[in-house]
Amino acid sequence: MEKKNILKGVLFIGIGASIYGMLATFVKLAYQEGYTTSEVTTSQFLLGLIGLLVLNFIQTVTSKKVLPSPSAKEIRNLMLAGTSLGCTSLFYYISVQYINVSIAIVLLMQSVWFSVVIESFLTKKLPNTRKIVSVIIVLIGTVLATNLINTKIELDFKGIFWGLLAAASYTLTMFTSNTLATNLPVFRKSIIMLLGGAIIIFIFLFLTQIGPLHFQMLKTMYLHFTENKEYIHSFRYSILWKYGFVLALFGTIIPPILFNIGFPNAGLGLGSIVSSLELPVSVAMAFILLGEKVAAVQWIGIGLILFAIVLMNLPSQKEYKIVQAH
């Protein structure tokens, strides 16, 4: 039964990571049609919430047993965790305004070594040799994957900044969401987390596309920092049916559900390895649909990052002996 659950977890995480990896390509396509970050993120989270509410209603009505309800503490913690989910989407989508999807996803994967730093800080222990080696490999892989060795390549600093900020937020999401309220049905848990993320998204919508009409100083600061002057028009509802459904399915409905089912079965270590599929899928989609050029050296860098993720999460000899004993 345990092997079956692990296999189920790996399968669900793999599918979820692959679907999530396609997301940035559709965001980039929406940008090419003139839609703004606030329009993209709002449509994704709004339709995502509606979709999850429908699924939760169906599950509640058809369930043969009473489903557990979250406590006030669980709701608060899940919504807090959800704010980092909203920040991850927001920062990631801003970064792809300035840099290629294939580079933005590499920056997002810096969460691999960010998590090592946070873990070391929380436990007040230095990481072991294998983790340190893995971090070094990730950094070398990042240099290759972003093609920094090519002096002709000019990377926009703003894109790098927002990409790294997305990685930091993504790291926080992983640390909080995988251990919170695991007893709750996946739809209910996802809805609460999405509500937390939606608060961040709606605040961003207000400040960048609605509020600036009344808050001139905030508008000036935002324009000065991002140089994004396209948002001044009113919200275009065509984003909802043009890209909203795809973004909601691929970003806020299917992957979180699959991850919430998969990680408890596969475990955080194995789950992290499988979820790294997001990286090659995202680069491949950008290459196929957007025509982004991906040099051979970048694929080598991506391979190194994937290798480092596997190396970091493989069980030690001591852990392996414990598993064998059981």
Side-chain angles (χ1 to χ4, degrees):
M1 181 64 70
E2 186 177 350
K3 288 184 178 180
K4 183 179 178 181
N5 286 339
I6 292 175
L7 180 61
K8 174 184 175 182
V10 167
L11 183 63
F12 276 63
I13 293 171
I15 295 173
S18 299
I19 291 174
Y20 196 73
M22 302 176 187
L23 192 63
T25 298
F26 291 104
V27 171
K28 198 80 169 182
L29 289 171
Y31 284 161
Q32 289 176 0
E33 293 192 27
Y35 292 107
T36 64
T37 303
S38 57
E39 288 171 334
V40 168
T41 52
T42 300
S43 64
Q44 177 185 326
F45 275 74
L46 180 61
L47 292 176
L49 273 172
I50 294 172
L52 284 174
L53 284 169
V54 171
L55 290 172
N56 179 67
F57 175 76
I58 294 172
Q59 184 186 45
T60 303
V61 171
T62 57
S63 178
K64 296 180 180 179
K65 58 181 181 180
V66 178
L67 299 175
S69 298
S71 65
K73 182 180 179 181
E74 286 175 330
I75 292 174
R76 184 178 67 252
N77 290 340
L78 285 172
M79 287 191 71
L80 283 173
T83 58
S84 64
L85 183 67
C87 287
T88 301
S89 295
L90 186 59
F91 299 153
Y92 186 40
Y93 294 172
I94 293 176
S95 74
V96 299
Q97 284 186 327
Y98 304 105
I99 55 179
N100 286 348
V101 169
S102 54
I103 294 177
I105 186 64
V106 169
L107 294 175
L108 186 65
M109 286 294 108
Q110 301 311 296
S111 58
V112 173
W113 67 268
F114 283 8
S115 63
V116 173
V117 174
I118 290 179
E119 184 181 44
S120 178
F121 177 77
L122 292 176
T123 60
K124 296 181 180 179
K125 293 180 181 179
L126 291 174
N128 58 38
T129 304
R130 187 174 59 180
K131 287 186 177 181
I132 293 174
V133 170
S134 297
V135 168
I136 294 171
I137 294 173
V138 167
L139 294 175
I140 295 172
T142 300
V143 172
L144 297 176
T146 53
N147 209 6
L148 287 177
I149 58 176
N150 186 347
T151 55
K152 295 180 181 179
I153 297 293
E154 293 184 5
L155 296 177
D156 194 310
F157 171 77
K158 292 187 288 293
I160 295 174
F161 171 79
W162 289 110
L164 291 175
L165 211 56
S169 183
Y170 188 47
T171 304
L172 185 60
T173 301
M174 288 192 296
F175 264 88
T176 54
S177 63
N178 291 322
T179 55
L180 293 176
T182 54
N183 62 306
L184 290 180
V186 65
F187 293 147
R188 293 187 179 184
K189 181 178 178 180
S190 298
I191 286 171
I192 299 170
M193 290 186 67
L194 204 57
L195 279 171
I199 292 173
I200 299 296
I201 299 304
F202 293 151
I203 290 174
F204 180 76
L205 172 67
F206 178 79
L207 292 179
T208 61
Q209 199 149 330
I210 300 173
L213 298 174
H214 306 287
F215 296 92
Q216 186 65 31
M217 184 176 70
L218 287 173
K219 179 176 73 173
T220 304
M221 289 173 61
Y222 175 76
L223 284 174
H224 176 73
F225 190 66
T226 66
E227 297 179 4
N228 180 11
K229 299 178 178 60
E230 294 182 350
Y231 79 90
I232 295 175
H233 57 70
S234 59
F235 187 89
R236 287 169 294 182
Y237 293 97
S238 58
I239 184 69
L240 295 173
W241 55 83
K242 271 196 170 184
Y243 290 99
F245 287 108
V246 174
L247 294 173
L249 280 173
F250 285 12
T252 52
I253 297 179
I254 298 178
I257 290 172
L258 295 179
F259 287 158
N260 279 325
I261 296 174
F263 272 102
N265 284 294
L268 188 58
L270 181 58
S272 299
I273 295 173
V274 179
S275 65
S276 64
L277 279 172
E278 178 185 340
L279 177 56
V281 169
S282 185
V283 175
M285 285 291 290
F287 175 76
I288 295 169
L289 293 183
L290 299 175
E292 291 186 1
K293 294 180 180 179
V294 184
V297 69
Q298 289 178 270
W299 284 112
I300 294 173
I302 290 168
L304 284 174
I305 293 173
L306 294 175
F307 172 73
I309 293 171
V310 174
L311 179 64
M312 188 180 297
N313 289 284
L314 284 176
S316 64
Q317 286 186 343
K318 182 178 179 181
E319 291 170 332
Y320 181 75
K321 288 178 181 178
I322 293 174
V323 173
Q324 289 288 92
H326 288 282

